[in-house]
Amino acid sequence: MRRLIVTAAVAALAVAFVVVPTGAEGAKSSKYLWATINICDTLKHPNDMGVRASMPGDGTHKRMYMRFRAQFYNATKKRYENVQGSGLSGWIYAGSARYTFRQAGFTFSFDRPAPGAEFKLRGVVSFEWRKKQRTRSGKRRWVVVRKATRVTKGGRAGVRGADPPGFSSGVCQIR
């Protein structure tokens, strides 16, 4: 009877160790998984909105990809809607998941609004982690093993490529 109790305690302890890394990964993900606007209608980038994002690696050989989408605020419907046409980037390779995190960005260009009008914009970033898996036929191909999505938010430090330097916002108004 005593041996059974010890075995159960060891099994419970093993489960606790399995749970801890998952929690740590979740905390790491929240720190390094974000999207922000780093360029918004500046002298160097008139009528442009730059979206920058970061995604966490996990120390493996997975590949990390991001896809950027521009959305505009429809005041009549009181909601954000997708920009049609060039409002969606292709999948951009952000780097290997061997690193702690990787950043990538995409810049959207817009026509100047009519005099007195403005565009209120935001970005939405989709994230994918992909790894090679063997198919039934024995071939290896890249498959998506994790997905996430983030809407742009401001207040980020360490945003690369910002204009002006240090700029980080959740929305962009082009006038």
Side-chain angles (χ1 to χ4, degrees):
M1 184 76 157
R2 185 173 178 179
R3 184 174 187 159
L4 180 62
I5 292 170
V6 171
T7 305
V10 170
L13 193 56
V15 168
F17 281 117
V18 170
V19 172
V20 170
T22 304
E25 182 181 307
K28 181 179 175 183
S29 292
S30 64
K31 180 179 178 180
Y32 294 117
L33 186 63
W34 51 261
T36 193
I37 294 170
N38 67 335
I39 297 171
C40 180
D41 195 21
T42 65
L43 290 175
K44 285 174 61 176
H45 301 278
N47 305 316
D48 287 351
M49 176 182 72
V51 179
R52 189 83 181 168
S54 171
M55 63 191 300
D58 60 7
T60 67
H61 290 282
K62 292 178 189 134
R63 291 185 176 182
M64 301 188 299
Y65 291 86
M66 299 180 194
R67 186 175 221 179
F68 298 84
R69 176 178 296 280
Q71 293 186 328
F72 71 96
Y73 186 73
N74 183 328
T76 305
K77 297 179 181 179
K78 297 184 178 166
R79 68 177 186 208
Y80 280 94
E81 296 183 359
N82 295 334
V83 172
Q84 299 302 311
S86 61
L88 181 64
S89 75
W91 285 100
I92 295 171
Y93 177 60
S96 169
R98 289 175 34 191
Y99 299 97
T100 304
F101 69 93
R102 287 311 224 189
Q103 286 188 22
F106 190 84
T107 300
F108 297 94
S109 294
F110 299 92
D111 292 333
R112 180 172 298 287
E118 69 179 26
F119 301 141
K120 182 177 179 182
L121 306 162
R122 73 176 185 183
V124 178
V125 181
S126 300
F127 303 89
E128 286 188 357
W129 290 259
R130 302 174 189 176
K131 77 175 194 174
K132 272 198 171 176
Q133 278 188 342
R134 201 169 292 282
T135 64
R136 290 182 185 174
S137 64
K139 293 181 182 178
R140 294 174 56 94
R141 65 182 184 104
W142 290 98
V143 296
V144 176
V145 293
R146 181 179 171 200
K147 293 181 177 186
T149 304
R150 292 291 182 272
V151 173
T152 52
K153 292 186 179 174
R156 286 282 165 197
V159 178
R160 297 181 188 143
D163 179 23
F167 181 76
S168 171
S169 180
V171 296
C172 174
Q173 292 188 339
I174 296 180
R175 296 183 172 110

